[in-house]
Each structure stands twice: as structure tokens, then as C-alpha cells.
Amino acid sequence: MSLMQWCDGEIANAETFSAPLTSHALHYGTGVFEGIRSYATDDGGAAVFRLPEHLERMQKGAEVLGMRFDIHQASEAILATLRANAHRDAYIRPLLWFNAGGLGLDVEKLSERLMVATLPWASHLGTERVRLTLSPFRRNPAKALPPLKLCGNYVNSILAKREATSRGFGEALFVDDDGFVVECTGENVFMVKDGHITAVEHGDALPGITRDTVIQLTGATSRPVRLDELKTADEVILTGTSAEIARVAAIDERVFESTGAGDALAVYYGDVVRGRAEVHRGWLTRV
Ligand code: PMP
């Protein structure tokens, strides 16, 4: 069965849909997207994790770009696409973008398009630990580009990721001019020290939904952290919808041993997203 996608109110085979070469978003990155996951639940069904929160963040991005965005429509489109593909463990990608209609920088007269794709994607949550390196790139400052999932913002992440992988590392760590840790290219940062968990806080970092989830699950303190302090941690953990709970093996030459805290958190998170933790079932939207 070929993949089904949703676009502008219609569900059809992915090949059915197309976009003009002069689409504004293709030239200038004028769109906003989300990265969401659904998980197979033990009763044979599936549920989307924190769907309203993802769509609220997407709406903030749409507002910044002056785009109309209907959360209810997007939510229904996501559920319909998952059902059409019979996807349970899946990655969900809604994208709202400016259509063709002019290549000027004035977007007011452009129309918007909305698409949803779902991809079968088994959960990572493996034990493979990530090797981080300090990025020579700076994170987009919030004053230049608000930390939202605007398409163009991701050129910054892609440059940093390319540079890190070209040197054999798995992920890049952004630090600001004053030495404060910002985030990674697609994950927020946590540290564990003396049994206490801290969520790295920075105004240029994306307000991650997994980050918020982990703060609620663990009671982590959120505060700014410098790179030199991060390197004194017992363990460093990255969080993101896609990466889930990733354990850090090293930041450049500083190697971390596992304290077990990251592994335990990964197992707990895996239970929560699959609805095995009764008290957190409110975070799940049944497919
Ligand atoms: N930072 C960046 C730059 C990201 O792209 C992501 C992934 N959306 C995150 C952090 C983690 O956010 P979330 O937990 O909401 O997926």
C-alpha cells in the first residue's frame, strides 16, 4: 500500500500532491512545521503524545509569520492520516507553508497550504549513547529568529549538524558567546549531578515538549547552565520528540559514565508515551 498523505483537506496517495516550483516557502523557508509522535498502545491501538501542545507551538509559529492556522483542522488531519496509513508507532509531520503567488518578501497576499505526512517510525529508546561536540556555530538568537519550528530556522541546525558529523560526532552542542549552553540541533539538554536533575534553560532554545514532559516527570530544576558546569555533571541527557531520551557518551574529550539515571528515565518515558502510566494518560490523544 502506498503512503497516504493529507493536503489542503484531502487524503490521497502521496504521489497525488505537488507544489509549484515558485512556492514562497521553497525559496525563503517561510513555513512552520511540527515533529510529533504516535505510539502503539498495549490495547492494540495507538495514541499521539501531547498533540495539543505540539499544535499550539505550531500556531505560535504561524502567528509570527502571519499565517492562518486551524488547530482543530490540523488535529483531525493528523488522526485521519494515521488511520489511513494504519500507522501506530509513527512520526508525524504537519507543515504549513506559503504558496506560490509572488517572490517578493511581502507575504500578506500569499495563500497558505497545509500538509500532513506520517511515517512508520519505531521508537529509538535504545542504549546507544551520543557523542556531542561543541559547535563552532551560534544558535539563531531569539531576537533574530524566534525559537519556534519555522522552516528557515533549521538551516542553522543543519549547518551545525553537518559540521559535527564531518568530524565524526553524532550531534552538535550550541553554546552562546558567554559560555551558556543553549541546546543541540534538535534536542534540549539536561544534566544529572549528585542525583539532582537540571533542565538547561536558555532564551534561544526551542521550548521543547519533551523537555517540559521530563521536568514534570522528574521535578527537574530549570536554570541557565554554562558549558564548564555541564562538563562537571555526572550524566548529560538530551530530550526531543524524535530522540526521546538520549544519553550522552561524551562532549568532545569529556567522557561520561552512565549513572543509570538516563536509562531509568528513558524506560519511564517509554511507559508514559505508551499510556502505561495511568496519571499521565491525559497526554495521549487516541488515534
Ligand atoms: N530543540 C530543537 C532545535 C528542536 O528542533 C527540537 C525538536 N522539536 C527540540 C529542541 C526538542 O523539542 P521537542 O521535545 O518538542 O520535540
Side-chain angles (χ1 to χ4, degrees):
M1 192 180 84
S2 76
L3 206 62
M4 303 294 276
Q5 290 177 349
W6 184 103
C7 189
D8 299 328
E10 194 191 335
I11 284 206
N13 286 336
E15 303 77 49
T16 313
F17 300 115
S18 62
L21 296 181
T22 51
S23 298
H24 200 269
L26 185 61
H27 295 256
Y28 302 121
T30 44
V32 56
F33 67 98
E34 262 305 324
I36 314 172
R37 265 190 196 244
S38 65
Y39 291 90
T41 49
D42 294 335
D43 59 6
V48 183
F49 190 62
R50 304 199 70 177
L51 179 59
E53 290 88 343
H54 279 282
L55 294 180
E56 280 156 24
R57 185 169 66 188
M58 189 164 164
Q59 186 172 46
K60 283 188 191 147
E63 272 167 22
V64 164
L65 283 167
M67 298 172 124
R68 282 177 299 272
F69 177 60
D70 180 343
I71 288 196
H72 178 72
Q73 182 193 39
S75 181
E76 291 301 313
I78 285 169
L79 297 175
T81 312
L82 287 168
R83 288 183 199 124
N85 286 312
H87 284 162
R88 296 175 69 210
D89 278 305
Y91 183 77
I92 303 161
R93 168 53 55 86
L95 168 69
L96 176 69
W97 77 98
F98 274 127
N99 203 2
L103 286 174
L105 298 184
D106 203 354
V107 294
E108 265 63 49
K109 290 191 196 73
L110 298 177
S111 60
E112 292 106 30
R113 298 190 64 186
L114 177 65
M115 58 135 306
V116 175
T118 67
L119 308 170
W121 193 338
S123 177
H124 302 187
L125 289 183
T127 48
E128 206 181 309
R129 296 162 77 234
V130 195
R131 284 179 60 240
L132 286 187
T133 185
L134 181 63
S135 183
F137 287 94
R138 290 287 175 253
R139 191 66 178 133
N140 303 314
K143 280 184 184 164
L145 281 169
L148 291 164
K149 292 187 80 74
L150 308 179
C151 297
N153 289 22
Y154 279 80
V155 174
N156 180 224
S157 283
I158 289 162
L159 296 182
K161 185 87 177 199
R162 270 173 54 79
E163 194 283 327
T165 53
S166 76
R167 289 190 286 112
F169 289 90
E171 178 55 300
L173 179 69
F174 288 110
V175 171
D176 73 12
D177 283 338
D178 300 317
F180 285 100
V181 177
V182 185
E183 61 178 337
C184 289
T185 66
E187 302 86 23
N188 295 111
V189 182
F190 282 74
M191 66 172 190
V192 182
K193 178 130 198 216
D194 302 328
H196 190 83
I197 177 155
T198 302
V200 173
E201 189 177 297
H202 198 289
D204 298 340
L206 185 81
I209 290 161
T210 320
R211 178 183 189 274
D212 176 73
T213 302
V214 169
I215 291 173
Q216 292 197 47
L217 293 178
T218 63
T221 312
S222 177
R223 65 170 173 83
V225 173
R226 284 181 197 271
L227 179 62
D228 47 13
E229 183 184 1
L230 189 71
K231 286 188 174 175
T232 70
D234 300 324
E235 191 168 358
V236 175
I237 297 164
L238 308 181
T239 64
T241 298
S242 168
E244 301 178 309
I245 310 295
R247 280 76 97 206
V248 172
I251 303 174
D252 292 311
E253 70 296 337
R254 165 72 166 105
V255 174
F256 295 93
E257 299 305 325
S258 173
T259 66
D263 293 340
L265 181 61
V267 171
Y268 186 28
Y269 181 80
D271 283 343
V272 168
V273 295
R274 288 175 185 77
R276 292 182 193 135
E278 181 91 47
V279 286
H280 299 301
R281 290 236 176 99
W283 279 335
L284 275 63
T285 302
R286 303 289 310 175
V287 176

